[in-house]
Amino acid sequence: MPQFLLELFSEEIPARMQKRAAEDLKKLLMDALSKAGFLPGGMETFSAPRRLVAVVEGLPERTADVREERKGPKVDAPAQAIEGFLRGAGLTDIAQARVVSDPKKGDFYVADLVKPGRATPDALAEIVPDIIRNFPWPKSMRWGEGTLRWVRPLHRILAVFDGEIVPFDVDGIAASNISEGHRFHGTGTFEVKDFEDYEAKLSAAHVVLDRDQRKAQIKADAQTLCQARNLELIDDEGLLEEVCGLVDEPHVIMGDMDPSFLDLPPEVIRLTLRVNQKYFVVRDPKTGGLAPHFIIVSNVKATDGGKKIALGNARVLAARLNDARYFWDLDRKASLESRVPKLDTLVFHEKLGSVGDKVRRIVALAGEIARLVGVEDVAAARHAALLAKADLTTEMVGEFPELQGVMGRYYQLQRGGSAASNQIIADAIRDHYKPVGPSDHVPSEPVAMAVALADKLDTLTGFFAIGEKPTGSGDPYALRRAALGVIRIVREGGVRFALAEKAAGNGLLDFILERLRVSLRDEGFAPDVLEAAFAIPDDDIVRIVARVTALAKVLKTEDGANLVAGLKRGANILRAEEKKDGAAAQGIVSDALLAEPAEQGLNQALVAAESQMDQALATEAFDTAMAALAGLRGPVDRFFDTVLVNDADPAIRQNRLALLVKLRAVSERVADFSKLAGA
């Protein structure tokens, strides 16, 4: 079946927008084609610095005819109604309609209409211009005297269906079968018949169309260059994604930098290379540190092997690193302690005060949390909290905000020597922002844990207090991330404290617990298991996770799974009785009224299980508590198999209901089993 090829050729598309643009083009095309009645056999989209491309396979030459039955008025309807029906159906005579009989409604007219299919090029000539005019660029511009908005000036539209040009124009740009290759190495424009022809001619014109192919080529060539000099390329997927959008045909070059710059913190060097210059960083495997070299990805194939390009980039890099050295030397002239007062000049939030105000709050909170996480020197935790934000006033962090905390650690180590306590404070300054993402590690040293928890809890309580809570569409203050940070530090560090004491009011406790629930669901725990475990009021994260884990484990056993059915049956009986009487079933089980062996056995088993659970729950041995509960499976089964709860004798009936109340009470010490699916 015929193929449709579309290329939108413009000035350079920002690298960060290219991948998303290709995805948007695919969705827009697929939706529009489907709406027009097409079912493509396949579609691929591509992005490169100056072009967006789509190739659609398996399109028919025209859309199918659409048949429709249009119901009309009754045969005895007024002439005016029949005339309206004829006009609407496109008929000239009522004889062109057929009469349909309905036993209830009588005879009425029906028109059999056929909407002829359209030639595919005609449909594409409407679809594509609409997509171009309404393309969802994050930012767009107008140029010249036209009205079209595009990310950069759009120069050419290639649109070919089955080897022929699809006739349309957008803002004076007529569709054609012409494209061109590399800006510098290409040989001018060329005509295209289909995608195979297009891709081959692009390749000959020094354009690698496939984004993944460009990425793979960059990585492989960079590794080859490094191996030739006994060096290692430091992987950077984010930079690779960006750089591959800057070049049509990648040419990888190694440059050299002045080794004296290696006395700068490695994080500063890496960010200078990565953010400012888009260079890859190289490591010396002998030392494990950075090597005085860098990798450039050029869009130009140099005749001298890239020597002049490398030298030019080295000069630019030297200027950047000299700026960094200036910031580094200047910042070290003042201690972090001397910078703390300047934090009062930095606004944290207009309703929550300055950064200085925030620091004073986390100092107090870190002092409280320190004891909970096992800090022996509480003063060290308070001092670390005091200095944690001080590097926000430095020149280096002003240039590279990503280095907040990191630079504070370096500056503290420079001023405080190598004493163990100073090392702990310096590390806490660096780590108190962590974790900043799901793959980031959490602080494990107690002082750092205390400051990190204090910082995040202050942020959460503050923004919840002023009503700035996350919504379904936005979380401008990253409160979900802060909550997940608290959860991860507490879980991985085994921190024990009542969350309600630190996260009280305005729904914050519920918010954190909901983030915990989402996190556990992402780890694979079933939603109903979480519902059952979270139904037990608790604000200790470690204990909640232990309960969830134990419940999920016991439900995988035969006894645990079967017990759920018995618990549910008992709960249903109690619910029906409580609904009937308008009050909760209650009472104390009387041994004298337990006539049947099965009810005597269940009562004895409950007494034993309750005793075992008391001991287990006292030590938070949830596995043991769940096992004790699962041991009730046999007695519960025998009870429901042989005992009639609604006995004719009111006293016996009430006693058996009291026994079920006791069963429910015992089970609800660990979970609400009525929440389980299928229970």
Side-chain angles (χ1 to χ4, degrees):
M1 296 182 79
Q3 175 198 83
F4 174 56
L5 173 63
L6 174 68
E7 179 197 66
L8 305 173
F9 184 87
S10 68
E11 290 298 320
E12 275 77 1
I13 304 168
R16 67 183 182 279
M17 297 184 188
Q18 292 173 22
K19 184 177 180 181
R20 176 61 183 271
E23 294 168 352
D24 286 339
L25 179 60
K26 185 172 187 176
K27 183 179 187 306
L28 291 169
L29 260 178
M30 186 63 77
D31 289 348
L33 288 170
S34 298
K35 187 176 180 180
F38 293 101
L39 185 63
M43 183 187 301
E44 283 189 276
T45 54
F46 305 89
S47 63
R50 295 198 293 165
R51 68 199 78 219
L52 282 179
V53 178
V55 56
V56 186
E57 303 285 358
L59 289 178
E61 294 184 357
R62 62 184 302 110
T63 60
D65 293 346
V66 178
R67 299 184 180 277
E68 175 189 352
E69 286 188 356
R70 181 170 298 183
K71 185 177 178 181
K74 290 184 177 182
V75 294
D76 57 355
Q80 186 176 2
I82 293 176
E83 289 174 4
F85 167 63
L86 291 175
R87 285 195 302 272
L91 304 180
T92 58
D93 192 288
I94 195 62
Q96 294 172 310
R98 56 190 172 92
V99 176
V100 175
S101 297
D102 186 298
K104 295 182 179 180
K105 298 182 179 179
D107 295 342
F108 57 89
Y109 291 112
V110 172
D112 295 310
L113 306 180
V114 178
K115 184 179 181 181
R118 300 181 64 195
T120 299
D122 293 341
L124 291 171
E126 291 183 5
I127 288 171
V128 176
D130 186 61
I131 289 174
I132 293 173
R133 292 189 184 98
N134 297 287
F135 201 83
W137 293 108
K139 292 184 179 180
S140 59
M141 61 182 292
R142 290 192 304 175
W143 60 95
E145 297 180 356
T147 59
L148 177 66
R149 299 191 68 89
W150 199 247
V151 63
R152 294 290 186 271
L154 184 65
H155 293 316
R156 187 181 294 113
I157 302 170
L158 182 152
V160 176
F161 175 74
D162 199 18
E164 300 295 328
I165 298 170
V166 178
F168 66 85
D169 78 71
V170 178
D171 210 37
I173 305 171
S176 71
N177 62 348
I178 296 173
S179 184
E180 66 180 88
H182 196 285
R183 184 185 289 276
F184 306 113
H185 299 309
T187 54
T189 59
F190 50 80
E191 292 186 356
V192 171
K193 293 184 296 183
D194 54 26
F195 181 70
E196 184 179 359
D197 180 42
Y198 170 75
E199 191 172 31
K201 288 177 177 176
L202 270 187
S203 180
H206 301 277
V207 175
V208 179
L209 180 61
D210 188 273
R211 181 182 185 86
D212 290 336
Q213 185 180 340
R214 294 199 303 274
K215 286 170 59 179
Q217 184 176 329
I218 291 168
K219 191 168 185 176
D221 290 352
Q223 289 174 336
T224 299
L225 274 181
C226 289
Q227 289 168 1
R229 298 178 66 168
N230 295 319
L231 300 170
E232 292 179 351
L233 177 71
I234 296 179
D235 287 336
D236 190 332
E237 285 299 318
L239 181 58
L240 183 60
E241 277 286 345
E242 183 175 7
V243 168
C244 86
L246 298 174
V247 294
D248 277 318
E249 183 181 60
H251 299 280
V252 178
I253 302 166
M254 180 173 286
D256 303 320
M257 68 179 181
D258 187 340
S260 67
F261 286 122
L262 294 180
D263 65 355
L264 288 168
E267 294 89 346
V268 171
I269 298 174
R270 291 186 65 170
L271 271 178
T272 301
L273 268 66
R274 185 187 196 280
V275 176
N276 291 334
Q277 303 304 126
K278 314 303 179 190
Y279 300 159
F280 289 90
V281 184
V282 174
R283 179 168 46 222
D284 184 346
K286 294 179 181 178
T287 64
L290 299 184
H293 311 284
F294 55 92
I295 296 291
I296 314 159
V297 181
S298 173
N299 196 34
V300 177
K301 185 177 183 180
T303 56
D304 65 352
K307 292 180 181 178
K308 289 183 179 178
I309 293 175
L311 287 173
N313 279 273
R315 285 195 293 270
V316 174
L317 177 60
R320 292 285 192 178
L321 290 175
N322 274 322
D323 289 343
R325 187 189 297 283
Y326 172 76
F327 296 148
W328 171 242
D329 292 339
L330 181 64
D331 289 341
R332 288 184 294 167
K333 292 179 180 179
S335 67
L336 291 181
E337 283 86 349
S338 69
R339 294 181 178 277
V340 171
K342 296 180 182 178
L343 295 176
D344 286 323
T345 66
L346 303 180
V347 176
F348 175 62
H349 188 278
E350 60 180 3
K351 295 182 180 179
L352 296 173
S354 67
V355 176
D357 293 325
K358 177 177 177 61
V359 164
R360 284 183 281 275
R361 293 193 299 268
I362 67 173
V363 166
L365 190 52
E368 296 177 23
I369 294 175
R371 297 179 178 86
L372 301 174
V373 298
V375 174
E376 296 181 1
D377 185 356
V378 175
R382 294 173 61 88
H383 191 57
L386 178 69
L387 304 180
K389 307 291 184 183
D391 66 354
L392 296 179
T393 67
T394 65
E395 297 294 332
M396 191 70 83
V397 173
E399 177 71 12
F400 295 118
E402 303 95 326
L403 294 180
Q404 60 184 6
V406 172
M407 296 314 301
R409 176 181 180 274
Y410 280 112
Y411 297 142
Q412 182 62 20
L413 290 175
Q414 289 279 325
R415 301 289 294 191
S418 59
S421 60
N422 190 66
Q423 180 76 51
I424 289 172
I425 291 172
D427 288 347
I429 293 171
R430 176 195 61 196
D431 293 342
H432 85 281
Y433 289 105
K434 296 179 180 294
V436 294
S439 60
D440 194 18
H441 76 271
V442 303
S444 57
E445 200 285 323
V447 169
M449 291 167 63
V451 181
L453 285 171
D455 183 33
K456 292 168 178 58
L457 287 170
D458 174 76
T459 296
L460 289 163
T461 54
F463 282 109
F464 267 71
I466 62 174
E468 293 284 0
K469 303 175 184 180
T471 64
S473 60
D475 184 12
Y477 302 109
L479 301 185
R480 292 188 180 93
R481 187 176 72 186
L484 287 172
V486 170
I487 290 166
R488 285 191 59 198
I489 294 170
V490 169
R491 286 185 63 185
E492 296 179 33
V495 181
R496 310 305 302 272
F497 65 90
L499 194 59
E501 295 178 5
K502 310 299 180 188
N506 298 311
L508 178 53
L509 176 60
D510 291 338
F511 174 73
I512 294 176
L513 291 180
E514 180 58 27
R515 301 321 302 167
L516 174 61
R517 187 198 299 259
V518 171
S519 178
L520 291 170
R521 188 175 64 222
D522 291 343
E523 292 175 23
F525 289 100
D528 62 323
V529 171
L530 296 173
E531 190 77 14
F534 274 72
I536 307 303
D538 202 345
D539 64 350
D540 185 305
I541 290 174
V542 173
R543 190 163 54 227
I544 293 171
V545 173
R547 180 183 292 109
V548 169
T549 304
L551 177 59
K553 183 178 178 181
V554 79
L555 290 176
K556 292 178 181 179
T557 68
E558 183 181 356
D559 283 348
N562 289 332
L563 175 65
V564 171
L567 294 175
K568 179 67 174 180
R569 186 173 176 182
N572 287 340
I573 292 172
L574 290 175
R575 192 178 300 113
E577 291 300 319
E578 289 164 356
K579 185 177 181 180
K580 184 191 307 179
D581 297 340
Q586 54 187 342
I588 300 174
V589 176
S590 170
D591 292 345
L593 293 175
L594 297 174
E596 299 289 339
E599 61 183 329
Q600 294 170 357
L602 177 57
N603 188 51
Q604 293 168 2
L606 284 173
V607 171
E610 194 167 21
S611 175
Q612 294 172 17
M613 291 176 71
D614 283 342
Q615 298 176 31
L617 293 177
T619 59
E620 298 183 5
F622 287 102
D623 282 341
T624 303
M626 293 289 182
L629 192 61
L632 293 173
R633 179 257 176 111
V636 169
D637 286 349
R638 286 189 289 275
F639 176 83
F640 284 116
D641 287 343
T642 62
V643 176
L644 177 64
V645 176
N646 290 320
D647 193 87
D649 186 331
I652 294 177
R653 172 178 170 275
Q654 184 57 45
N655 199 54
R656 288 173 179 171
L657 288 174
L659 187 60
L660 293 183
V661 170
K662 188 174 183 179
L663 172 63
R664 182 175 63 184
V666 170
S667 67
E668 287 184 347
R669 298 185 65 186
V670 290
D672 184 348
F673 285 83
S674 69
K675 304 288 187 183
L676 293 171

